[in-house]
Amino acid sequence: GLPWWWEAFWTLPFTERGKKGEPLSLGDTMHVFRTNIEQIFGGEPSYDGAPLATGDLASAGLTDGTMYLGLQKYQEGFGDVYKLCFGPKSFMVVSDPQILKHILRENVFNYDKGVLGEVLEDVMGKGLIPADFETWRVRRRAIVPGFHQKWLNFQVSEFGRAGQLLVKSLRAAAAAGKAVDMEERFGSVALDIIGKSVFNYEFGSVEGESPVVKAAIQSLREVEHRAQTPLQYWKFPLMDLLVERQREFTENMKLLNDALNKCISQALADRSEADLEELENRDYTKMENPSLLRFLVDMRGETTSGKQLRDDMITMLIAGHETTASALTWALFELAQNPELLARLQKEVDSVMGVEGHECPTYEDIKSMELLRLTMAESLRMCPVGGHWKVGGPYDRWHPTLALSAE
């Protein structure tokens, strides 16, 4: 049961809820905690009808780096929609495609970024992922024109050169009979591509360990840690000095910010404003800096600050590489289980890329490889980024999972 003073406590001024449409207040967070406590210890029914997932979080796999396996265990026991509590944080975990469609497409403006915005704030600031709707709308309008046909045509050949380095390292590993962590390798090549194409920075992580890449990966791990930690201890004074992982996070962010700010400062110093049509007709083969950052800086009428550019760039860097690596890894895994399809796919790639002097693909080459496109599309259907593997029933399938913060 609950103590006698429980109801009286919630009449105190600092527990008052904020108003609708305003940023979350301390009282809002406290009332989420109140609902959790009353449901767990007071026997109160769930006002939303969702069952409360109970059990040891550690043994369920939610705190040891295998979060999606833990969410799968809970899904098997509590269904496609259930509630998960981490102290003052509360999550609705959804695995039903129709409900996901309602949340993400049909009813999107009834939700904000919640805990995602909180844990990403110190890393991505007002980047596209954690941004509020108005910032997202403005920045998306500014960034999308950068991905125009001529730039994509040029960058695909650059992607091919990065891929050649990866293939070279894989051939050496195969000749030596060495096992390779393909997700790590795909992540490295993705980071190299993002670094060069987005802000003209050479990581060289396929050929050797880059300190900036290491800092980016460790920063993402810290975000995952914060998302699963009930108490936001990192916001307390001196935590960046007293707690080792927070000291490391501060050092990693300084390294990342220094590298990004240097690229941005150089781009701003060399700024050459032009209209959109002129920018889209540039000859990228003759440019010293053909990056997306260069395009954004030169776009006439944009008043982007160095801080906003930094937030945009770091979002693409950190969020862009892991999703790419995951998609490629699962596609390779599925192909390894289907040697007949793998042989057909190899034949198609060889027919396009096997011509002498044609080592790097063009954008038209990519479009012509239909089986490759269909293979990636089917792999993403089976294994969408941000899901968990569901085993059992007539088919093994990848279950999409969405965790919504009740904050």
Side-chain angles (χ1 to χ4, degrees):
L2 299 170
W4 61 269
W5 47 263
W6 184 255
E7 290 297 332
F9 174 81
W10 296 102
T11 64
L12 298 175
F14 65 88
T15 67
E16 184 178 357
R17 291 177 181 269
K19 295 180 180 179
K20 185 177 181 179
E22 294 181 350
L24 291 174
S25 66
L26 173 63
D28 292 320
T29 302
M30 291 181 70
H31 274 275
V32 173
F33 195 28
R34 176 188 182 180
T35 302
N36 296 344
I37 294 296
E38 290 177 349
Q39 190 175 346
I40 296 170
F41 299 106
E44 293 291 328
S46 171
Y47 70 90
D48 47 36
L52 178 66
T54 56
D56 181 27
L57 298 180
S59 63
L62 296 183
T63 58
D64 64 356
T66 57
M67 181 176 68
Y68 285 117
L69 295 178
L71 293 177
Q72 178 184 339
K73 290 180 183 178
Y74 279 133
Q75 186 268 342
E76 291 169 349
F78 298 99
D80 285 340
V81 181
Y82 60 87
K83 189 175 182 179
L84 189 64
C85 297
F86 284 87
K89 294 180 180 178
S90 182
F91 300 88
M92 297 294 290
V93 183
V94 181
S95 300
D96 182 271
Q98 291 303 314
I99 299 176
L100 288 172
K101 180 181 178 182
H102 172 74
I103 293 169
L104 296 175
R105 185 172 181 179
E106 299 169 355
N107 203 34
V108 65
F109 290 106
N110 276 349
Y111 306 93
D112 63 19
K113 300 298 176 67
V115 70
L116 177 66
E118 291 180 9
V119 299
L120 288 175
E121 181 181 3
D122 291 341
V123 179
M124 299 181 185
K126 291 274 189 178
L128 286 174
I129 293 178
D132 57 271
F133 175 72
E134 185 57 28
T135 302
W136 174 88
R137 185 184 64 83
V138 172
R139 294 312 301 151
R140 185 177 186 276
R141 178 184 59 80
I143 291 172
V144 165
F147 293 90
H148 56 279
Q149 188 71 48
K150 202 166 185 178
W151 185 80
L152 288 172
N153 288 338
F154 171 77
Q155 291 297 346
V156 164
S157 63
E158 296 299 301
F159 299 169
R161 276 183 264 280
Q164 283 180 318
L165 293 176
L166 175 62
V167 170
K168 181 180 178 181
S169 69
L170 292 178
R171 283 176 173 162
K178 180 182 176 183
V180 176
D181 180 345
M182 287 308 301
E183 186 173 24
E184 185 277 329
R185 290 287 78 197
F186 283 142
S188 293
V189 75
L191 282 164
D192 282 355
I193 288 171
I194 293 170
K196 189 63 178 174
S197 63
V198 174
F199 45 92
N200 200 42
Y201 191 94
E202 289 281 5
F203 287 130
S205 57
V206 169
E207 298 178 292
E209 187 176 60
S210 164
V212 179
V213 167
K214 186 177 179 181
I217 294 172
Q218 290 179 342
S219 297
L220 187 58
R221 298 292 174 264
E222 175 61 20
V223 168
E224 293 173 351
H225 165 73
R226 292 184 177 190
Q228 299 178 55
T229 304
L231 181 66
Q232 296 179 333
Y233 68 88
W234 52 88
K235 290 190 175 182
F236 295 162
L238 302 178
M239 287 298 102
D240 57 339
L241 298 175
L242 299 176
V243 180
E244 183 178 0
R245 70 176 304 135
Q246 298 310 316
R247 288 199 305 271
E248 292 176 353
F249 175 71
T250 301
E251 293 168 0
N252 287 331
M253 288 310 303
K254 183 179 185 307
L255 186 60
L256 278 170
N257 288 332
D258 286 349
L260 289 171
N261 289 333
K262 183 178 179 181
C263 293
I264 292 168
S265 296
Q266 184 63 51
L268 289 171
D270 298 335
R271 187 175 192 178
S272 177
E273 285 190 277
D275 293 329
L276 181 58
E277 184 178 356
E278 185 181 347
L279 292 175
E280 290 179 343
N281 288 315
R282 281 177 165 175
D283 185 351
Y284 289 103
T285 63
K286 296 179 180 179
M287 292 182 64
E288 185 178 347
N289 181 356
S291 67
L292 178 64
L293 173 62
R294 170 88 273 155
F295 183 96
L296 297 177
V297 165
D298 289 349
M299 193 184 302
R300 180 169 285 124
E302 288 297 322
T303 56
T304 305
S305 67
K307 172 66 168 60
Q308 184 61 61
L309 286 169
R310 174 263 177 210
D311 293 348
D312 293 338
M313 297 301 104
I314 201 169
T315 300
M316 294 183 195
L317 173 66
I318 292 180
H321 83 277
E322 192 171 53
T323 48
T324 302
S326 177
L328 291 171
T329 303
W330 280 111
L332 190 61
F333 173 80
E334 293 295 340
L335 285 168
Q337 317 307 308
N338 194 332
E340 181 182 349
L341 175 60
L342 178 59
R344 287 175 56 203
L345 186 59
Q346 287 174 319
K347 184 177 180 181
E348 179 183 75
V349 173
D350 288 344
S351 69
V352 176
M353 303 302 301
V355 180
E356 187 176 349
H358 194 67
E359 291 82 7
C360 289
T362 65
Y363 192 66
E364 290 302 315
D365 290 334
I366 301 298
K367 289 167 63 177
S368 71
M369 291 186 275
E370 184 181 21
L371 182 60
L372 175 62
R373 177 179 62 80
L374 293 174
T375 299
M376 289 304 303
E378 176 65 2
S379 177
L380 285 168
R381 185 195 67 79
M382 296 172 64
C383 312
V385 176
H388 66 272
W389 188 242
K390 171 69 176 177
V391 180
Y395 301 100
D396 290 346
R397 61 193 177 98
W398 184 262
H399 227 58
T401 299
L402 177 70
L404 296 174
S405 169
E407 295 181 339

